[in-house]
Amino acid sequence: MSERPDSAGPDPDDTFDEFAELVEEETRRDPDLAVIEAGSRTLRTQGGPPQADVPARPADPEVDKALREVEAELATRWGETKLEPSVDRIAALMDVLGEPQRSYPSIHITGTNGKTSTARMIEALLGAFDLRTGRYTSPHVQSVTERISLDGAPVSAERFIETYQDVKPYVEMVDSAQEYRLSFFEVLTGMAYAAFADAPVDVAVVEVGMGGTWDATNVIDAGVAVVTPIDLDHTDRLGTTPAEIATEKAGIVKQDATVIMAQQPVDAAQVLLKKAVEVGATVAREGLEFGVLDRQVAVGGQLMTLRGLGGEYTEVYLPLHGAHQAHNAAVALAAVEGFFGVGSRHARPLDIDTVRKAFASVASPGRMEVVRRSPTVVLDAAHNPAGARAAADTIGEAFQFSNLIGVVGASADKNVRELLEAFEPVFAEVVVTQNSSHRAMDADALAAIAVEVFGEERVQVEPRLPDALEAAITLAEEEGEFAGGGVLVTGSVITVGEARLLLGKG
C-alpha cells in the first residue's frame, strides 16, 4: 500500500494530469476497468445493540400534543422536494449553535439506494464495539423521530421536542437574516447535529438527504465517506447520467478522507476517483479491496462470508433478505474498518465475534419486512427502478410465492413505468393505489401506466390504501391458505409507512 501524502495534499493540476494519463494508458488494455484501476491510492491489506422498531405515537396525550405542534411548525417550512442548492443557511445555523457537528467524528453516506440500511449496519457495528452512536437518516417510515437516533434507537418524543425547542430561537435568528427560511430538512439536520453534541456521541453516522455537495448534511468533515450504488433518481435535480449524479454525490469526499465505494457504473466510478485524487483521499473499492465472498439463503435472512480490509469474516448472519443487503453489509463493514484505521494504520481485522453479533442484531423497517402471515404481507420501500429490480430479485429468492399480489403507490416525480416493469415478472396481479402525501401519483394515472405494463386484466384500482390492502389480501387468499399466496406493498416509503400502521405495526 502506498504512503499517504502530506496533509497539504497533491497539487490538483498535477494530479488531474496524472489521472488522465493513467486512464488513457489503462484504456488501451481494458476500457471497462480503466477508471477503476486508475485510483492513485487504495486501501489494501492481506489476508451492537439490537435496533429498535419504528416508534409509535406517544402514549401520553400531552406529549403527543406537543409533538404534533412541533410537526405542524416544521410542516410550514419548505418540504424536502423544494430545494435551493446551497449550504449557506445550514452553515449559518451551525455557526450560531457553536458548530456542534465538529465535536465528534462522523461517517457520511451518499448514494442512490441502500443508504439507510447501510447506516443501520454501521451503527450496529460501532455500537457493538462500545461506541456511543448518533444516526441521522431520511425519510422516516412512520414517525419523524426515527430520523434522529442515539445508541441504536430513535430519540424519544420528549427529547425530540426538547431539541426542537432548544434550537428554535437560533433557527428564527437565521431565518431573519437569510433570503429564504431554513427548510424542513435543514432544521432537522441542525437538530440532529445538536442532539449528537448534547448526548454526547462518540461518532455520528449521517445519511445525505439528496446529492452531496449542497446537501444540508454536508457541513461535516467526515473522516469516512461512503458511496452506495449510484443509479438514476432525482434526475431533475442531480443529473441525467450516473456521472452527473456522481459529481454531486462526490461532494461529501473531503481532504484526506477514507472513501468506501460500493460497486458503481464505470462513469460514476471515474468521477468519484477523480475527486479522491483531487483531495488526497484514500479509496477502498467493493470487488477489489473488499466485498462479498459468499452468501447463502438462511431462515429469516442470509449467511455471508465477507472480505474486509483486514481479512475474511466468515459465518456472518444477517437477518435481512437479498443480495443487495449483503453488498450493503460489505460496505458497512469496510466503513467501520476504515473508521478504526484498518488498512491505513494497521492490518488487524475486527473481532469476528463482535462483528457477527452486530450484524445479527440489524433490522431495517420497511425493507423486505414481513408484517403479517396467512397470507404473508411484505413491505419494501423501493421507489425507483434500481430499487424495484433489487426487490423483485429478492422476493423470488427469499419467498416461495406462487401467487404474489402487488400493492403499488408511488410518487408522481418518479420513473413509475420502469418501476412497474421491474415488478411485472413477479406480480400475478397489481393493485394500484395512492398514499396521503401531496407528492403521490393519482391512482387513476398510475393505473393507466400499469395497464400498459401488465395488461388490463391484471390491474385493479383502489385509490384508498386500506381498500387496496384488503383487495390484495383477498386476491392472495383465492388459491387457499396453503397455496403460497403473498402481498408485496411497495413504491414509496410513505406508502410502506402508512401500510405498516394499517397492518398494526407501530
Side-chain angles (χ1 to χ4, degrees), residues 35-83:
V35 295
I36 301 297
E37 290 299 319
S40 63
R41 289 180 310 284
T42 60
L43 286 173
R44 294 183 186 272
T45 59
Q46 302 302 317
Q51 303 291 322
D53 200 356
V54 175
R57 296 297 309 184
D60 185 327
E62 291 302 314
V63 175
D64 186 52
K65 178 183 177 183
L67 179 59
R68 290 184 188 279
E69 289 173 353
V70 171
E71 291 169 332
E73 288 187 24
L74 289 170
T76 65
R77 297 181 174 274
W78 277 359
E80 290 169 285
T81 59
K82 187 172 183 178
L83 304 168

mmCIF file of all heavy atoms in Angstrom, residues 35-83:
data_model
loop_
_atom_site.group_PDB
_atom_site.id
_atom_site.type_symbol
_atom_site.label_atom_id
_atom_site.label_comp_id
_atom_site.label_asym_id
_atom_site.label_seq_id
_atom_site.Cartn_x
_atom_site.Cartn_y
_atom_site.Cartn_z
ATOM 1 N N VAL A 35 -10.983 3.100 -15.443
ATOM 2 C CA VAL A 35 -11.143 4.105 -14.404
ATOM 3 C C VAL A 35 -11.128 3.486 -13.015
ATOM 4 O O VAL A 35 -10.829 4.150 -12.034
ATOM 5 C CB VAL A 35 -12.449 4.910 -14.611
ATOM 6 C CG1 VAL A 35 -12.377 5.696 -15.887
ATOM 7 C CG2 VAL A 35 -13.662 4.004 -14.594
ATOM 8 N N ILE A 36 -11.469 2.201 -12.933
ATOM 9 C CA ILE A 36 -11.426 1.527 -11.636
ATOM 10 C C ILE A 36 -9.988 1.352 -11.182
ATOM 11 O O ILE A 36 -9.639 1.580 -10.026
ATOM 12 C CB ILE A 36 -12.120 0.153 -11.709
ATOM 13 C CG1 ILE A 36 -13.580 0.326 -12.155
ATOM 14 C CG2 ILE A 36 -12.047 -0.564 -10.375
ATOM 15 C CD1 ILE A 36 -14.423 1.131 -11.203
ATOM 16 N N GLU A 37 -9.121 0.957 -12.100
ATOM 17 C CA GLU A 37 -7.737 0.680 -11.759
ATOM 18 C C GLU A 37 -6.881 1.948 -11.681
ATOM 19 O O GLU A 37 -5.728 1.897 -11.276
ATOM 20 C CB GLU A 37 -7.126 -0.266 -12.800
ATOM 21 C CG GLU A 37 -7.684 -1.683 -12.732
ATOM 22 C CD GLU A 37 -7.418 -2.335 -11.395
ATOM 23 O OE1 GLU A 37 -6.322 -2.174 -10.845
ATOM 24 O OE2 GLU A 37 -8.340 -3.009 -10.893
ATOM 25 N N ALA A 38 -7.455 3.100 -12.064
ATOM 26 C CA ALA A 38 -6.666 4.322 -12.121
ATOM 27 C C ALA A 38 -6.609 5.077 -10.804
ATOM 28 O O ALA A 38 -5.985 6.114 -10.726
ATOM 29 C CB ALA A 38 -7.215 5.254 -13.208
ATOM 30 N N GLY A 39 -7.257 4.591 -9.757
ATOM 31 C CA GLY A 39 -7.196 5.261 -8.468
ATOM 32 C C GLY A 39 -5.763 5.347 -7.980
ATOM 33 O O GLY A 39 -5.021 4.386 -8.053
ATOM 34 N N SER A 40 -5.365 6.510 -7.484
ATOM 35 C CA SER A 40 -3.959 6.715 -7.138
ATOM 36 C C SER A 40 -3.558 5.982 -5.874
ATOM 37 O O SER A 40 -2.417 5.599 -5.729
ATOM 38 C CB SER A 40 -3.686 8.203 -6.956
ATOM 39 O OG SER A 40 -4.451 8.713 -5.874
ATOM 40 N N ARG A 41 -4.501 5.784 -4.925
ATOM 41 C CA ARG A 41 -4.183 5.052 -3.708
ATOM 42 C C ARG A 41 -5.388 4.223 -3.335
ATOM 43 O O ARG A 41 -6.531 4.638 -3.509
ATOM 44 C CB ARG A 41 -3.866 6.017 -2.552
ATOM 45 C CG ARG A 41 -2.555 6.726 -2.694
ATOM 46 C CD ARG A 41 -2.338 7.649 -1.515
ATOM 47 N NE ARG A 41 -3.506 8.493 -1.276
ATOM 48 C CZ ARG A 41 -3.808 9.536 -2.022
ATOM 49 N NH1 ARG A 41 -3.073 9.855 -3.062
ATOM 50 N NH2 ARG A 41 -4.859 10.273 -1.745
ATOM 51 N N THR A 42 -5.176 3.051 -2.810
ATOM 52 C CA THR A 42 -6.270 2.218 -2.336
ATOM 53 C C THR A 42 -5.893 1.617 -0.995
ATOM 54 O O THR A 42 -4.730 1.539 -0.636
ATOM 55 C CB THR A 42 -6.575 1.056 -3.318
ATOM 56 O OG1 THR A 42 -5.390 0.258 -3.442
ATOM 57 C CG2 THR A 42 -6.990 1.565 -4.677
ATOM 58 N N LEU A 43 -6.919 1.223 -0.252
ATOM 59 C CA LEU A 43 -6.678 0.518 1.000
ATOM 60 C C LEU A 43 -6.492 -0.952 0.685
ATOM 61 O O LEU A 43 -7.414 -1.604 0.200
ATOM 62 C CB LEU A 43 -7.876 0.699 1.937
ATOM 63 C CG LEU A 43 -8.025 2.067 2.595
ATOM 64 C CD1 LEU A 43 -9.341 2.120 3.347
ATOM 65 C CD2 LEU A 43 -6.881 2.324 3.547
ATOM 66 N N ARG A 44 -5.335 -1.489 0.974
ATOM 67 C CA ARG A 44 -5.074 -2.902 0.705
ATOM 68 C C ARG A 44 -4.409 -3.525 1.932
ATOM 69 O O ARG A 44 -3.429 -3.018 2.448
ATOM 70 C CB ARG A 44 -4.134 -3.080 -0.495
ATOM 71 C CG ARG A 44 -4.716 -2.625 -1.824
ATOM 72 C CD ARG A 44 -3.744 -2.918 -2.947
ATOM 73 N NE ARG A 44 -4.215 -2.378 -4.211
ATOM 74 C CZ ARG A 44 -5.014 -3.042 -5.047
ATOM 75 N NH1 ARG A 44 -5.424 -4.236 -4.737
ATOM 76 N NH2 ARG A 44 -5.386 -2.489 -6.177
ATOM 77 N N THR A 45 -4.935 -4.641 2.401
ATOM 78 C CA THR A 45 -4.277 -5.433 3.417
ATOM 79 C C THR A 45 -4.428 -6.889 3.028
ATOM 80 O O THR A 45 -5.374 -7.267 2.349
ATOM 81 C CB THR A 45 -4.915 -5.231 4.808
ATOM 82 O OG1 THR A 45 -6.301 -5.589 4.735
ATOM 83 C CG2 THR A 45 -4.786 -3.807 5.273
ATOM 84 N N GLN A 46 -3.519 -7.720 3.477
ATOM 85 C CA GLN A 46 -3.639 -9.146 3.214
ATOM 86 C C GLN A 46 -4.540 -9.741 4.286
ATOM 87 O O GLN A 46 -4.418 -9.463 5.460
ATOM 88 C CB GLN A 46 -2.261 -9.812 3.262
ATOM 89 C CG GLN A 46 -1.295 -9.221 2.283
ATOM 90 C CD GLN A 46 -1.790 -9.300 0.858
ATOM 91 O OE1 GLN A 46 -2.323 -10.323 0.441
ATOM 92 N NE2 GLN A 46 -1.608 -8.225 0.107
ATOM 93 N N GLY A 47 -4.600 -10.762 3.402
ATOM 94 C CA GLY A 47 -5.389 -11.515 4.270
ATOM 95 C C GLY A 47 -6.679 -10.734 4.896
ATOM 96 O O GLY A 47 -6.948 -9.692 4.542
ATOM 97 N N GLY A 48 -23.380 -4.698 18.485
ATOM 98 C CA GLY A 48 -24.306 -3.552 18.823
ATOM 99 C C GLY A 48 -25.629 -3.936 19.460
ATOM 100 O O GLY A 48 -26.050 -5.077 19.406
ATOM 101 N N PRO A 49 -25.929 -3.160 19.727
ATOM 102 C CA PRO A 49 -27.211 -3.499 20.357
ATOM 103 C C PRO A 49 -28.318 -3.698 19.327
ATOM 104 O O PRO A 49 -28.244 -3.133 18.243
ATOM 105 C CB PRO A 49 -27.548 -2.274 21.245
ATOM 106 C CG PRO A 49 -26.901 -1.136 20.529
ATOM 107 C CD PRO A 49 -25.639 -1.708 19.932
ATOM 108 N N PRO A 50 -29.382 -4.508 19.636
ATOM 109 C CA PRO A 50 -30.479 -4.678 18.676
ATOM 110 C C PRO A 50 -31.111 -3.345 18.305
ATOM 111 O O PRO A 50 -31.258 -2.460 19.154
ATOM 112 C CB PRO A 50 -31.486 -5.571 19.425
ATOM 113 C CG PRO A 50 -30.675 -6.259 20.478
ATOM 114 C CD PRO A 50 -29.608 -5.277 20.872
ATOM 115 N N GLN A 51 -31.476 -3.225 17.037
ATOM 116 C CA GLN A 51 -32.106 -1.983 16.584
ATOM 117 C C GLN A 51 -33.541 -1.896 17.103
ATOM 118 O O GLN A 51 -34.263 -2.884 17.145
ATOM 119 C CB GLN A 51 -32.126 -1.951 15.052
ATOM 120 C CG GLN A 51 -30.750 -2.089 14.410
ATOM 121 C CD GLN A 51 -29.892 -0.865 14.646
ATOM 122 O OE1 GLN A 51 -30.385 0.242 14.620
ATOM 123 N NE2 GLN A 51 -28.613 -1.055 14.878
ATOM 124 N N ALA A 52 -33.951 -0.709 17.499
ATOM 125 C CA ALA A 52 -35.318 -0.515 17.958
ATOM 126 C C ALA A 52 -36.264 -0.479 16.772
ATOM 127 O O ALA A 52 -35.878 -0.139 15.663
ATOM 128 C CB ALA A 52 -35.426 0.781 18.744
ATOM 129 N N ASP A 53 -37.529 -0.833 17.028
ATOM 130 C CA ASP A 53 -38.529 -0.793 15.979
ATOM 131 C C ASP A 53 -38.958 0.650 15.761
ATOM 132 O O ASP A 53 -38.540 1.569 16.459
ATOM 133 C CB ASP A 53 -39.722 -1.659 16.388
ATOM 134 C CG ASP A 53 -40.567 -2.075 15.198
ATOM 135 O OD1 ASP A 53 -40.272 -1.638 14.066
ATOM 136 O OD2 ASP A 53 -41.522 -2.818 15.396
ATOM 137 N N VAL A 54 -39.808 0.843 14.740
ATOM 138 C CA VAL A 54 -40.321 2.177 14.457
ATOM 139 C C VAL A 54 -41.201 2.630 15.620
ATOM 140 O O VAL A 54 -42.080 1.895 16.067
ATOM 141 C CB VAL A 54 -41.131 2.160 13.148
ATOM 142 C CG1 VAL A 54 -41.775 3.503 12.906
ATOM 143 C CG2 VAL A 54 -40.228 1.778 11.982
ATOM 144 N N PRO A 55 -40.983 3.834 16.156
ATOM 145 C CA PRO A 55 -41.756 4.269 17.322
ATOM 146 C C PRO A 55 -43.200 4.565 16.988
ATOM 147 O O PRO A 55 -43.524 5.031 15.902
ATOM 148 C CB PRO A 55 -41.023 5.547 17.770
ATOM 149 C CG PRO A 55 -40.355 6.050 16.533
ATOM 150 C CD PRO A 55 -39.977 4.825 15.746
ATOM 151 N N ALA A 56 -44.080 4.296 17.960
ATOM 152 C CA ALA A 56 -45.490 4.639 17.835
ATOM 153 C C ALA A 56 -45.707 6.065 18.308
ATOM 154 O O ALA A 56 -44.788 6.731 18.781
ATOM 155 C CB ALA A 56 -46.326 3.664 18.666
ATOM 156 N N ARG A 57 -46.926 6.556 18.185
ATOM 157 C CA ARG A 57 -47.252 7.859 18.741
ATOM 158 C C ARG A 57 -47.078 7.805 20.251
ATOM 159 O O ARG A 57 -47.277 6.761 20.876
ATOM 160 C CB ARG A 57 -48.698 8.239 18.430
ATOM 161 C CG ARG A 57 -49.038 8.425 16.973
ATOM 162 C CD ARG A 57 -48.298 9.539 16.293
ATOM 163 N NE ARG A 57 -48.349 10.831 16.977
ATOM 164 C CZ ARG A 57 -47.813 11.946 16.480
ATOM 165 N NH1 ARG A 57 -47.163 11.910 15.307
ATOM 166 N NH2 ARG A 57 -47.883 13.084 17.141
ATOM 167 N N PRO A 58 -46.710 8.928 20.880
ATOM 168 C CA PRO A 58 -46.555 8.940 22.336
ATOM 169 C C PRO A 58 -47.856 8.557 23.038
ATOM 170 O O PRO A 58 -48.944 8.979 22.637
ATOM 171 C CB PRO A 58 -46.175 10.396 22.635
ATOM 172 C CG PRO A 58 -45.611 10.922 21.352
ATOM 173 C CD PRO A 58 -46.350 10.216 20.263
ATOM 174 N N ALA A 59 -47.722 7.752 24.098
ATOM 175 C CA ALA A 59 -48.903 7.324 24.842
ATOM 176 C C ALA A 59 -49.468 8.468 25.681
ATOM 177 O O ALA A 59 -50.686 8.548 25.902
ATOM 178 C CB ALA A 59 -48.554 6.135 25.737
ATOM 179 N N ASP A 60 -48.608 9.348 26.157
ATOM 180 C CA ASP A 60 -49.040 10.484 26.967
ATOM 181 C C ASP A 60 -49.704 11.528 26.059
ATOM 182 O O ASP A 60 -49.056 12.060 25.149
ATOM 183 C CB ASP A 60 -47.825 11.094 27.678
ATOM 184 C CG ASP A 60 -48.201 12.208 28.646
ATOM 185 O OD1 ASP A 60 -49.173 12.938 28.373
ATOM 186 O OD2 ASP A 60 -47.507 12.345 29.673
ATOM 187 N N PRO A 61 -50.972 11.858 26.299
ATOM 188 C CA PRO A 61 -51.677 12.817 25.420
ATOM 189 C C PRO A 61 -50.988 14.178 25.344
ATOM 190 O O PRO A 61 -50.977 14.809 24.287
ATOM 191 C CB PRO A 61 -53.058 12.928 26.066
ATOM 192 C CG PRO A 61 -53.225 11.680 26.868
ATOM 193 C CD PRO A 61 -51.858 11.322 27.339
ATOM 194 N N GLU A 62 -50.398 14.638 26.444
ATOM 195 C CA GLU A 62 -49.734 15.939 26.438
ATOM 196 C C GLU A 62 -48.473 15.913 25.578
ATOM 197 O O GLU A 62 -48.184 16.875 24.849
ATOM 198 C CB GLU A 62 -49.397 16.354 27.873
ATOM 199 C CG GLU A 62 -50.616 16.696 28.714
ATOM 200 C CD GLU A 62 -51.440 17.823 28.110
ATOM 201 O OE1 GLU A 62 -50.838 18.834 27.693
ATOM 202 O OE2 GLU A 62 -52.674 17.690 28.039
ATOM 203 N N VAL A 63 -47.731 14.817 25.675
ATOM 204 C CA VAL A 63 -46.530 14.683 24.851
ATOM 205 C C VAL A 63 -46.913 14.577 23.381
ATOM 206 O O VAL A 63 -46.285 15.183 22.508
ATOM 207 C CB VAL A 63 -45.694 13.464 25.295
ATOM 208 C CG1 VAL A 63 -44.502 13.257 24.356
ATOM 209 C CG2 VAL A 63 -45.212 13.627 26.723
ATOM 210 N N ASP A 64 -47.966 13.803 23.114
ATOM 211 C CA ASP A 64 -48.420 13.649 21.737
ATOM 212 C C ASP A 64 -48.862 14.994 21.163
ATOM 213 O O ASP A 64 -48.540 15.338 20.014
ATOM 214 C CB ASP A 64 -49.575 12.644 21.676
ATOM 215 C CG ASP A 64 -49.983 12.333 20.254
ATOM 216 O OD1 ASP A 64 -49.111 11.988 19.440
ATOM 217 O OD2 ASP A 64 -51.186 12.445 19.942
ATOM 218 N N LYS A 65 -49.552 15.786 21.968
ATOM 219 C CA LYS A 65 -49.992 17.113 21.529
ATOM 220 C C LYS A 65 -48.788 18.007 21.231
ATOM 221 O O LYS A 65 -48.748 18.699 20.197
ATOM 222 C CB LYS A 65 -50.853 17.750 22.614
ATOM 223 C CG LYS A 65 -51.324 19.159 22.263
ATOM 224 C CD LYS A 65 -52.126 19.780 23.417
ATOM 225 C CE LYS A 65 -52.518 21.221 23.089
ATOM 226 N NZ LYS A 65 -53.245 21.849 24.232
ATOM 227 N N ALA A 66 -47.783 17.961 22.105
ATOM 228 C CA ALA A 66 -46.596 18.789 21.907
ATOM 229 C C ALA A 66 -45.834 18.365 20.660
ATOM 230 O O ALA A 66 -45.326 19.213 19.914
ATOM 231 C CB ALA A 66 -45.696 18.703 23.140
ATOM 232 N N LEU A 67 -45.757 17.060 20.412
ATOM 233 C CA LEU A 67 -45.069 16.568 19.210
ATOM 234 C C LEU A 67 -45.813 16.997 17.963
ATOM 235 O O LEU A 67 -45.202 17.408 16.964
ATOM 236 C CB LEU A 67 -44.933 15.045 19.266
ATOM 237 C CG LEU A 67 -44.241 14.396 18.057
ATOM 238 C CD1 LEU A 67 -42.824 14.935 17.876
ATOM 239 C CD2 LEU A 67 -44.208 12.867 18.199
ATOM 240 N N ARG A 68 -47.134 16.925 18.001
ATOM 241 C CA ARG A 68 -47.927 17.354 16.841
ATOM 242 C C ARG A 68 -47.723 18.852 16.564
ATOM 243 O O ARG A 68 -47.729 19.282 15.409
ATOM 244 C CB ARG A 68 -49.407 17.030 17.058
ATOM 245 C CG ARG A 68 -49.708 15.538 17.025
ATOM 246 C CD ARG A 68 -51.198 15.245 17.139
ATOM 247 N NE ARG A 68 -51.448 13.824 17.292
ATOM 248 C CZ ARG A 68 -51.479 12.941 16.298
ATOM 249 N NH1 ARG A 68 -51.280 13.374 15.051
ATOM 250 N NH2 ARG A 68 -51.706 11.667 16.523
ATOM 251 N N GLU A 69 -47.570 19.631 17.614
ATOM 252 C CA GLU A 69 -47.325 21.055 17.427
ATOM 253 C C GLU A 69 -45.976 21.297 16.744
ATOM 254 O O GLU A 69 -45.850 22.153 15.864
ATOM 255 C CB GLU A 69 -47.387 21.769 18.775
ATOM 256 C CG GLU A 69 -48.801 21.851 19.351
ATOM 257 C CD GLU A 69 -48.832 22.417 20.762
ATOM 258 O OE1 GLU A 69 -47.736 22.625 21.343
ATOM 259 O OE2 GLU A 69 -49.947 22.640 21.294
ATOM 260 N N VAL A 70 -44.959 20.524 17.153
ATOM 261 C CA VAL A 70 -43.653 20.629 16.507
ATOM 262 C C VAL A 70 -43.754 20.201 15.043
ATOM 263 O O VAL A 70 -43.232 20.882 14.145
ATOM 264 C CB VAL A 70 -42.607 19.769 17.246
ATOM 265 C CG1 VAL A 70 -41.302 19.706 16.447
ATOM 266 C CG2 VAL A 70 -42.346 20.332 18.637
ATOM 267 N N GLU A 71 -44.438 19.094 14.796
ATOM 268 C CA GLU A 71 -44.607 18.614 13.420
ATOM 269 C C GLU A 71 -45.332 19.657 12.568
ATOM 270 O O GLU A 71 -44.983 19.867 11.402
ATOM 271 C CB GLU A 71 -45.379 17.291 13.429
ATOM 272 C CG GLU A 71 -44.599 16.127 14.023
ATOM 273 C CD GLU A 71 -45.462 14.905 14.265
ATOM 274 O OE1 GLU A 71 -46.680 15.061 14.492
ATOM 275 O OE2 GLU A 71 -44.914 13.791 14.247
ATOM 276 N N ALA A 72 -46.328 20.306 13.156
ATOM 277 C CA ALA A 72 -47.083 21.332 12.418
ATOM 278 C C ALA A 72 -46.197 22.528 12.096
ATOM 279 O O ALA A 72 -46.268 23.093 10.994
ATOM 280 C CB ALA A 72 -48.295 21.764 13.238
ATOM 281 N N GLU A 73 -45.334 22.924 13.035
ATOM 282 C CA GLU A 73 -44.428 24.044 12.772
ATOM 283 C C GLU A 73 -43.416 23.679 11.689
ATOM 284 O O GLU A 73 -43.119 24.488 10.804
ATOM 285 C CB GLU A 73 -43.713 24.452 14.066
ATOM 286 C CG GLU A 73 -44.620 25.159 15.064
ATOM 287 C CD GLU A 73 -43.852 25.696 16.256
ATOM 288 O OE1 GLU A 73 -42.626 25.943 16.131
ATOM 289 O OE2 GLU A 73 -44.471 25.871 17.332
ATOM 290 N N LEU A 74 -42.897 22.470 11.750
ATOM 291 C CA LEU A 74 -41.946 22.029 10.724
ATOM 292 C C LEU A 74 -42.612 21.976 9.350
ATOM 293 O O LEU A 74 -41.982 22.257 8.332
ATOM 294 C CB LEU A 74 -41.378 20.660 11.088
ATOM 295 C CG LEU A 74 -40.395 20.628 12.269
ATOM 296 C CD1 LEU A 74 -40.100 19.187 12.675
ATOM 297 C CD2 LEU A 74 -39.098 21.346 11.909
ATOM 298 N N ALA A 75 -43.894 21.621 9.343
ATOM 299 C CA ALA A 75 -44.615 21.486 8.074
ATOM 300 C C ALA A 75 -44.845 22.817 7.379
ATOM 301 O O ALA A 75 -45.166 22.847 6.184
ATOM 302 C CB ALA A 75 -45.950 20.778 8.307
ATOM 303 N N THR A 76 -44.665 23.915 8.081
ATOM 304 C CA THR A 76 -44.840 25.222 7.442
ATOM 305 C C THR A 76 -43.613 25.601 6.604
ATOM 306 O O THR A 76 -43.657 26.586 5.858
ATOM 307 C CB THR A 76 -45.063 26.326 8.496
ATOM 308 O OG1 THR A 76 -43.881 26.472 9.304
ATOM 309 C CG2 THR A 76 -46.259 25.998 9.376
ATOM 310 N N ARG A 77 -42.550 24.847 6.715
ATOM 311 C CA ARG A 77 -41.311 25.144 6.001
ATOM 312 C C ARG A 77 -41.276 24.404 4.667
ATOM 313 O O ARG A 77 -42.087 23.514 4.418
ATOM 314 C CB ARG A 77 -40.107 24.758 6.868
ATOM 315 C CG ARG A 77 -40.049 25.564 8.153
ATOM 316 C CD ARG A 77 -38.859 25.232 9.024
ATOM 317 N NE ARG A 77 -38.837 26.158 10.162
ATOM 318 C CZ ARG A 77 -38.277 27.353 10.142
ATOM 319 N NH1 ARG A 77 -37.654 27.781 9.048
ATOM 320 N NH2 ARG A 77 -38.301 28.146 11.213
ATOM 321 N N TRP A 78 -40.332 24.780 3.841
ATOM 322 C CA TRP A 78 -40.156 24.070 2.576
ATOM 323 C C TRP A 78 -40.040 22.580 2.835
ATOM 324 O O TRP A 78 -39.287 22.143 3.710
ATOM 325 C CB TRP A 78 -38.863 24.532 1.902
ATOM 326 C CG TRP A 78 -38.975 25.791 1.117
ATOM 327 C CD1 TRP A 78 -40.088 26.563 0.922
ATOM 328 C CD2 TRP A 78 -37.914 26.428 0.392
ATOM 329 N NE1 TRP A 78 -39.794 27.647 0.127
ATOM 330 C CE2 TRP A 78 -38.474 27.585 -0.214
ATOM 331 C CE3 TRP A 78 -36.570 26.130 0.191
ATOM 332 C CZ2 TRP A 78 -37.716 28.443 -1.004
ATOM 333 C CZ3 TRP A 78 -35.805 26.986 -0.583
ATOM 334 C CH2 TRP A 78 -36.377 28.124 -1.178
ATOM 335 N N GLY A 79 -40.755 21.813 2.026
ATOM 336 C CA GLY A 79 -40.635 20.371 2.120
ATOM 337 C C GLY A 79 -39.340 19.882 1.490
ATOM 338 O O GLY A 79 -38.559 20.665 0.933
ATOM 339 N N GLU A 80 -39.139 18.583 1.558
ATOM 340 C CA GLU A 80 -37.862 18.011 1.094
ATOM 341 C C GLU A 80 -37.723 17.985 -0.422
ATOM 342 O O GLU A 80 -36.639 17.706 -0.930
ATOM 343 C CB GLU A 80 -37.692 16.608 1.683
ATOM 344 C CG GLU A 80 -37.432 16.661 3.164
ATOM 345 C CD GLU A 80 -37.509 15.308 3.830
ATOM 346 O OE1 GLU A 80 -38.627 14.802 4.027
ATOM 347 O OE2 GLU A 80 -36.452 14.748 4.161
ATOM 348 N N THR A 81 -38.791 18.267 -1.136
ATOM 349 C CA THR A 81 -38.692 18.283 -2.596
ATOM 350 C C THR A 81 -38.476 19.688 -3.152
ATOM 351 O O THR A 81 -38.248 19.852 -4.342
ATOM 352 C CB THR A 81 -39.967 17.687 -3.232
ATOM 353 O OG1 THR A 81 -41.103 18.454 -2.807
ATOM 354 C CG2 THR A 81 -40.147 16.235 -2.810
ATOM 355 N N LYS A 82 -38.545 20.705 -2.283
ATOM 356 C CA LYS A 82 -38.287 22.080 -2.727
ATOM 357 C C LYS A 82 -36.923 22.496 -2.201
ATOM 358 O O LYS A 82 -36.703 22.556 -0.990
ATOM 359 C CB LYS A 82 -39.367 23.034 -2.218
ATOM 360 C CG LYS A 82 -39.222 24.446 -2.792
ATOM 361 C CD LYS A 82 -40.407 25.320 -2.438
ATOM 362 C CE LYS A 82 -40.269 26.704 -3.076
ATOM 363 N NZ LYS A 82 -41.421 27.569 -2.790
ATOM 364 N N LEU A 83 -36.004 22.734 -3.120
ATOM 365 C CA LEU A 83 -34.612 22.947 -2.735
ATOM 366 C C LEU A 83 -34.050 24.221 -3.329
ATOM 367 O O LEU A 83 -34.426 24.628 -4.427
ATOM 368 C CB LEU A 83 -33.754 21.759 -3.200
ATOM 369 C CG LEU A 83 -34.184 20.375 -2.725
ATOM 370 C CD1 LEU A 83 -33.431 19.314 -3.501
ATOM 371 C CD2 LEU A 83 -33.933 20.219 -1.246
#
